């Protein structure tokens, strides 16, 4: 297929003037053709350049990344009218830049904040009022319908968000998820703050994905400065990302087990998750990996002594993890709750554009580590992980498989001496008038940062896309026709990010 | 059944003996900073310049632990000759001005309000509120309930309803969209109540300070009894703070 879109590479900067700037009609035609043929959206956002406002789309097909931009036309017809995956991206564009997508099927705010251009608000909100402002939640009518509203402050120690269930008896007809409570203005802050703050800010986008986000950030500025971290740093960063995956998956398996009242596994997983976080602590002095990754490499070496300690701990833990997973998946009372609960069909998953384990549980095998390998992944053979039932069981099983796989990856990477020149500060000197897109398979799925610089090498736009941006609607779909008491279970099986979404 | 027992046996007993026995995080953990007041001023300036949080006061050679995210940049740059981080995780303070430190902290137990000890010493029920926290602060509060730390053995628990709580623990820089929910939850807690600010974000806005979408710290909205530094604070930092302040 010949496309007007320009093929780009993950993490490689290119001059902005090489990115095709199409007429809007042509842009629409190209975007809809690529997506119509199965292409997916990696990034789609607006940015201001001087007085002009432009759109930029980064799409992916099998193993190719494609980018092109256009001016915003006076009248912007919503792509979501044809393809669902645009739905949130277009709402975000409307909220951030006051561009109304005409014919959008469900035009509501995303994070509840005023647009950055100071133009009239698409949603008619007055932001001195509290969220949700001028918006009435979707409601189902009928005599026996009742609504359940949960949050923003939840019962547990977790982040805030609002869930609105329309139920008939115990059965959920519709779940509406309203986020935005965690909005900290991260993207704007990244453009305006002193560049020395960028690593620390990106590590705070989502603490459970501190490595994922700091990798995306570091790779972006390495791309923009045409530098490459040494092989040792790439290995350490790969180990850190896999440790992050293990800790989160393991924690969630424990939480899932706790939700079906099987407490042994809940407790064992909670404890073992801590052991993996402590390995990250050993790497860099922070249990979440904050402070490890900086543009140019890593700040801490992995000495032979550390290597030995981590190897020993993993060797000791691996059989325990295997046994606990075995116990979880051989317990009938667990399986009877997991199986056929919260099923998302492959068709729906495709239509919504799900990514990560949530998509792999529905038979969509996409894994950025295989398709767009960064760091040491180029040299690794990552298994294709898929399950096909799309239910809680599939999401849990997939995560269990990934835990064991990540353990093997780390074990193999720890076999040899790792040599790296540590970064002291991590300088940020981006090339002017450039664009870079970075993609990593974080534990929730495809995570991507995109940075545009201006003619002076300042950051013009910093765009972040958490995998949860694709996946929250998957959770809403899973709940359709499911008992409301199964919500916690489904929620855990996805465990999506509030702050990563809210930015 | 056999499988359950086998796993139980393999997992063993894991609860830490802290505070009865001393415990130390691994060597790279960055706890209470040690500051060398003799460090040459150009070195101090260099660290202050590089500090992503502008947490270093170069004139007085002090670190503001409310801002500090313990990233270790200053320690690396000065090769430990100006700042080096100890493994001491006892970081909490009860007065905000004490966050600005030359490496020493006042004993927390002496500053604890005596009526809090008699009121909450045997049972302390807390409502946690995440107000735009990045989930790391929340996660390391959550682990206090796992077998290793097992906070419940001290009579301390997180509860679901603010009505059942003796106080709140707030994480995050308190976004504009969470402010009302936070204040409402606070109001719903019966008096007398405790307010605990946990993590750099809730102390000063943390990594997000300066964004118009967040607050400059919880104490700009509510009277704070206990400040717990870190990004996030280590679970032991939390545990030490709660045990020392309330027990
Ligand atoms: S450790 Fe704290 S004081 Fe030192 S550079 Fe980092 S934020 Fe600044
Ligand atoms: S203090 Fe650090 S760890 Fe805690 S919420 Fe803020 S950014 Fe996250």
């Amino acid at each position: 297929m010949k496309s007007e879109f320009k093929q780009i590479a993950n993490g490689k900067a290119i001059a902005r003037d090489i990115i095709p700037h199409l007429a809007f009609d042509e842009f629409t035609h190209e975007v809809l053709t690529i997506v119509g043929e199965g292409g997916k959206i990696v990034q789609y956002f607006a940015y201001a350049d001087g007085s002009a406002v432009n759109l930029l789309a980064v799409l992916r097909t099998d193993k190719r990344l494609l980018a092109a931009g256009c001016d915003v036309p006076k009248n912007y017809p919503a792509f979501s009218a044809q393809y669902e995956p645009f739905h949130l991206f277009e709402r975000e564009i409307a909220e951030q830049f006051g561009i109304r997508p005409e014919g959008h099927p469900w035009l509501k705010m995303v994070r509840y904040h005023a647009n950055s251009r100071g133009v009239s608000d698409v949603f008619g909100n007055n932001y001195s009022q509290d969220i949700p402002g001028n918006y009435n939640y979707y409601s189902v009518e009928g005599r026996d319908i009742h609504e359940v509203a949960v949050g923003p402050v939840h019962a547990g120690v977790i982040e805030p968000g609002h869930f609105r269930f329309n139920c008939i008896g115990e059965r959920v007809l519709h779940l509406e998820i309203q986020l935005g409570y965690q909005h900290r203005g991260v993207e704007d802050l990244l453009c305006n703050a002193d560049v020395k703050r960028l690593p620390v800010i990106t590590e705070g986008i989502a603490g459970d994905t501190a490595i994922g986000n700091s990798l995306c950030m570091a790779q972006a500025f390495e791309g923009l400065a045409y530098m490459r971290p040494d092989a040792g740093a790439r290995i350490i960063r790969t180990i850190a990302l896999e440790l992050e995956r293990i800790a989160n998956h393991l924690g969630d398996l424990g939480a899932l087990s706790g939700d079906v009242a099987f407490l042994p596994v809940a407790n064992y997983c909670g404890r073992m998750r801590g052991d993996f976080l402590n390995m990250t602590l050993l790497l860099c002095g922070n249990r979440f990996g904050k402070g490890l990754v900086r543009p140019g490499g890593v700040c801490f070496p992995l000495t032979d002594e550390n290597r030995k300690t981590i190897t020993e701990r993993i060797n000791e833990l691996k059989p325990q993890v295997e046994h606990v997973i075995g116990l979880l998946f051989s317990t009938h009372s667990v399986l009877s709750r997991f199986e056929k609960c919260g099923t998302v069909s492959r068709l729906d998953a495709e239509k919504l554009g799900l990514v990560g384990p949530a998509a792999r549980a529905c038979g969509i095998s996409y894994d950025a580590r295989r398709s767009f390998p960064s760091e040491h992944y180029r040299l690794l053979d990552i298994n294709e992980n898929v399950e096909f039932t799309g239910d809680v069981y599939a999401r849990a099983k997939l995560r269990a498989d990934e835990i064991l796989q990540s353990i093997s990856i780390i074990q193999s990477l720890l076999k040899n001496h790792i040599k790296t020149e540590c970064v002291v500060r991590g300088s940020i000197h981006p090339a002017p008038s450039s664009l870079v897109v970075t993609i990593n398979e974080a534990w929730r799925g495809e995570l991507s940062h995109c940075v545009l610089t201006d003619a002076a090498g300042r950051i013009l736009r910093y765009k972040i896309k958490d995998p949860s941006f694709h996946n929250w609607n998957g959770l809403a779909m899973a709940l359709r026709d499911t008992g409301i008491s199964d919500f916690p279970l489904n929620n855990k099986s996805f465990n999506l990010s509030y702050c990563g979404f809210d930015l | 059944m056999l499988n359950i027992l086998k796993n139980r046996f393999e997992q063993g007993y894991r609860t830490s003996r802290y505070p009865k026995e001393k415990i130390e995080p691994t060597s790279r953990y960055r706890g209470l900073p040690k500051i060398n007041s003799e460090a040459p001023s150009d070195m101090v300036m260099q660290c202050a310049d590089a500090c992503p949080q502008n947490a270093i006061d170069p004139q007085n050679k002090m670190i503001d632990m409310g801002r500090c995210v313990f990233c270790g940049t200053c320690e690396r740059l000065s090769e430990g000759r100006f700042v080096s981080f100890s493994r001491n995780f006892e970081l909490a303070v009860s007065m905000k001005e004490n966050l600005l430190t030359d490496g020493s902290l006042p004993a927390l137990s002496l500053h604890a309000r005596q009526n809090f000890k008699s009121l909450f010493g045997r049972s302390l029920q807390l409502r946690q509120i995440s107000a735009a926290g990045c989930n790391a602060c929340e996660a390391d509060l959550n682990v206090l309930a796992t077998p290793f730390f097992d906070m419940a053995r001290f009579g301390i628990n997180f509860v679901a309803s603010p009505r059942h709580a003796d106080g709140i623990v707030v994480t995050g820089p308190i976004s504009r969209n969470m402010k009302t929910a936070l204040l409402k939850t606070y109001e719903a807690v019966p008096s007398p109540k405790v307010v605990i600010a946990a993590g750099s974000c809730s102390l000063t806005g943390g990594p997000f300070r300066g964004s118009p979408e967040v607050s400059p710290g919880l104490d700009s909205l509510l009277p704070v009894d206990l400040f717990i530094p870190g990004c996030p604070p280590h679970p032991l930092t939390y545990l030490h703070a709660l045990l020392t302040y309330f027990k």
Side-chain angles (χ1 to χ4, degrees):
Chain A
M1 179 189 69
K2 163 106 182 59
S3 167
E4 295 301 324
F5 269 57
K6 166 93 184 150
Q7 183 169 355
I8 60 173
N10 181 17
K12 292 247 159 32
I14 61 167
R16 274 171 57 201
D17 53 17
I18 303 179
I19 303 286
H21 193 82
L22 309 176
F24 182 72
D25 288 346
E26 201 181 354
F27 179 79
T28 308
H29 175 77
E30 289 286 327
V31 166
L32 296 184
T33 308
I34 295 170
V35 173
E37 288 169 356
K40 297 280 183 274
I41 312 165
V42 177
Q43 299 264 13
Y44 180 41
F45 59 87
Y47 65 97
D49 189 6
S51 58
V53 180
N54 305 316
L55 293 171
L56 185 83
V58 181
L59 308 173
R60 68 175 158 87
T61 62
D62 206 12
K63 292 207 167 172
R64 302 198 312 153
L65 273 182
L66 302 165
C70 71
D71 292 337
V72 176
K74 272 226 158 52
N75 184 359
Y76 171 87
F79 299 164
S80 339
Q82 291 178 58
Y83 292 110
E84 288 88 346
F86 287 102
H87 144 263
L88 250 174
F89 289 95
E90 288 185 327
R91 277 167 52 191
E92 183 185 53
I93 290 169
E95 181 166 271
Q96 294 186 332
F97 283 85
I99 298 159
R100 175 182 292 277
E102 300 292 344
H104 190 286
W106 194 11
L107 191 56
K108 64 173 275 200
M109 77 297 187
V110 182
R111 309 185 176 101
Y112 198 70
H113 63 81
N115 66 59
S116 63
R117 277 202 301 159
V119 296
S120 78
D121 191 70
V122 170
F123 315 98
N125 278 324
N126 163 6
Y127 293 95
S128 62
Q129 276 173 5
D130 280 323
I131 186 170
N134 176 32
Y135 176 74
N136 292 318
Y137 287 105
Y138 184 86
S139 90
V140 181
E141 296 195 342
R143 208 192 54 171
D144 296 330
I145 306 294
H146 66 104
E147 278 192 13
V148 181
V150 184
V153 179
H154 297 285
V157 182
I158 52 167
E159 299 176 69
H162 182 75
F163 298 88
R164 186 69 65 118
F165 301 87
N166 279 275
C167 303
I168 182 156
E170 290 282 293
R171 203 148 59 84
V172 178
L173 295 174
H174 179 76
L175 161 61
E176 181 170 358
I177 301 168
Q178 179 59 52
L179 302 174
Y181 296 89
Q182 298 279 71
H183 181 58
R184 296 149 294 174
V186 168
E187 289 180 352
D188 285 346
L189 193 61
L190 287 167
C191 291
N192 303 327
D194 188 332
V195 288
K196 71 178 180 181
R197 292 178 59 187
L198 301 194
V200 172
I201 298 171
T202 43
E203 284 167 345
I205 293 170
D208 54 23
T209 315
I211 295 291
N213 275 300
S214 55
L215 269 183
C216 278
M217 174 277 306
Q219 290 161 1
F221 290 107
E222 285 154 8
L224 286 168
Y226 301 98
M227 60 179 173
R228 193 169 143 84
D230 60 38
R234 296 202 301 273
I235 292 175
I236 295 172
R237 292 171 9 163
T238 303
I239 292 173
L241 190 64
E242 294 307 321
L243 282 173
E244 185 168 89
R245 191 180 325 277
I246 297 171
N248 282 296
H249 282 349
L250 208 48
D252 284 344
L253 286 185
L256 283 166
S257 190
D259 274 344
V260 297
F262 189 52
L263 297 184
V265 170
N267 282 316
Y268 305 156
C269 285
R271 193 272 299 178
M272 293 189 298
R273 167 180 172 274
D275 287 338
F276 283 97
L277 291 177
N278 285 340
M279 290 182 209
T280 305
L281 180 74
L282 197 78
L283 275 185
C284 67
N286 183 292
R287 284 161 48 94
F288 296 86
K290 295 186 178 199
L292 175 64
V293 180
R294 291 293 179 268
V298 289
C299 295
F300 300 91
L302 188 50
T303 60
D304 285 338
E305 194 193 325
N306 293 149
R307 208 156 55 80
K308 196 164 146 262
T309 316
I310 298 183
T311 306
E312 282 167 6
R313 285 199 201 169
I314 290 200
N315 291 348
E316 187 195 325
L317 274 166
K318 190 177 181 184
Q320 297 179 15
V321 172
E322 283 167 347
H323 299 157
V324 168
I325 287 175
L327 176 58
L328 180 69
F329 288 98
S330 61
T331 302
H332 299 295
S333 62
V334 170
L335 293 179
S336 72
R337 291 285 308 276
F338 282 13
E339 283 169 357
K340 300 197 175 60
C341 180
T343 304
V344 180
S345 70
R346 173 164 187 160
L347 190 69
D348 284 342
E350 288 277 5
K351 271 194 166 182
L352 292 170
L354 301 192
V355 295
R360 291 195 283 276
C362 305
I364 301 169
S365 69
Y366 171 62
D367 182 331
R369 292 176 298 175
R370 295 163 56 85
S371 298
F372 305 105
S374 62
E375 303 301 324
H376 196 71
Y377 293 109
R378 280 170 239 276
L379 305 173
L380 292 175
D381 196 12
I382 305 287
N383 288 1
E384 183 169 316
N385 301 304
V386 270
E387 287 286 325
F388 296 94
T389 46
D391 49 4
V392 170
Y393 171 84
R395 290 187 283 275
K397 184 69 179 39
L398 200 111
R399 302 239 226 147
D401 292 345
E402 291 192 1
I403 291 169
L404 297 176
Q405 211 183 90
S406 298
I407 289 178
S408 311
I409 293 174
I410 296 173
Q411 281 180 318
S412 74
L413 292 179
L414 286 173
K415 284 220 171 84
N416 300 312
H417 175 73
I418 301 169
K419 186 166 157 281
T420 183
E421 191 71 44
C422 284
V423 172
V424 178
R425 288 176 69 161
S427 61
I428 292 179
H429 300 295
S433 306
S434 302
L435 162 105
V436 69
V437 178
T438 56
I439 294 179
N440 286 287
E441 184 73 19
W443 64 276
R444 286 191 185 91
E446 179 193 273
L447 175 68
S448 171
H449 289 200
C450 176
V451 184
L452 289 165
T453 57
D454 68 10
R458 283 181 306 244
I459 300 167
L460 181 69
R461 179 78 160 107
Y462 199 118
K463 187 78 200 83
I464 298 151
K465 187 215 60 190
D466 191 273
S468 308
F469 200 72
H470 297 283
N471 285 359
W472 274 109
N473 277 322
L475 173 61
M477 275 318 280
L479 257 283
R480 291 238 165 132
D481 223 16
T482 298
I484 189 166
S485 52
D486 280 334
F487 173 69
L489 195 56
N490 276 282
N491 193 21
K492 262 357 137 7
S493 72
F494 282 87
N495 193 3
L496 302 174
S497 181
Y498 300 74
C499 51
F501 177 98
D502 285 344
L503 298 174
Chain B
M1 191 63 208
L2 199 62
N3 201 355
I4 297 181
L5 290 175
K6 250 174 36 201
N7 270 277
R8 179 70 195 85
F9 185 70
E10 184 176 46
Q11 292 284 329
Y13 180 81
R14 299 284 178 171
T15 304
S16 102
R17 304 209 183 273
Y18 179 82
K20 287 213 180 87
E21 280 172 24
K22 262 183 111 91
I23 176 171
E24 224 174 32
T26 53
S27 60
R28 280 187 188 164
Y29 166 75
R30 290 177 292 282
L32 186 67
K34 287 189 213 145
I35 295 176
N36 170 18
S37 55
E38 309 290 301
S41 57
D42 56 332
M43 177 190 278
V44 177
M45 267 326 280
Q46 204 193 3
C47 291
D49 271 349
C51 171
Q53 292 296 96
N54 290 348
I56 298 174
D57 171 353
Q59 263 74 50
N60 300 310
K61 299 188 178 159
M62 291 172 113
I63 290 186
D64 180 351
M65 289 201 306
R67 285 188 167 207
C68 177
V69 291
F70 298 82
C71 69
T73 304
C74 50
E75 182 179 43
R76 259 194 319 278
L77 260 182
S78 68
E79 291 166 344
R81 284 178 290 148
F82 169 44
V83 182
S84 65
F85 286 92
S86 71
R87 284 149 85 172
N88 178 357
F89 54 79
E90 301 178 352
L91 300 176
V93 300
S94 62
M95 281 179 292
K96 198 173 187 186
E97 56 270 24
N98 291 336
L99 288 170
L100 192 63
T101 182
D102 59 2
S104 59
L105 289 179
L108 182 61
S109 57
L110 302 177
H111 280 79
R113 288 215 251 148
Q114 286 311 316
N115 66 325
F116 279 180
K117 288 203 185 220
S118 58
L119 276 170
F120 306 126
R122 291 161 70 90
S123 157
L124 178 67
Q125 310 298 313
L126 295 168
R127 170 67 248 201
Q128 203 277 324
I129 306 165
S130 166
C134 79
N135 202 358
C137 270
E138 291 79 356
D140 266 353
L141 274 170
N142 235 337
V143 298
L144 296 177
T146 58
F148 182 80
F149 300 102
D150 192 18
M151 178 174 75
R153 69 199 149 113
F154 306 108
I156 308 174
N157 291 296
F158 290 118
V159 291
S161 169
R163 296 274 189 233
H164 300 158
D166 302 312
I168 55 172
V169 184
V170 180
T171 52
I174 308 135
S175 53
R176 187 178 45 81
N177 287 340
M178 261 312 278
K179 194 167 143 191
T180 304
L182 166 72
L183 295 176
K184 278 188 177 164
T185 311
Y186 170 76
E187 275 158 26
V189 176
S191 291
K193 50 190 158 189
V194 182
V195 178
I196 301 170
S200 168
C201 281
S202 73
L203 266 41
T204 60
F208 310 103
R209 89 204 126 78
S211 165
E213 295 284 336
V214 306
S215 85
L218 181 64
D219 67 328
S220 67
L221 298 166
L222 294 173
V224 177
D225 299 298
L226 191 53
F227 299 86
I228 308 181
C231 182
H234 192 281
L236 287 168
T237 306
Y238 285 132
L239 202 55
H240 163 262
L242 295 175
L243 295 182
T244 319
Y245 196 71
F246 294 104
K247 288 279 154 188

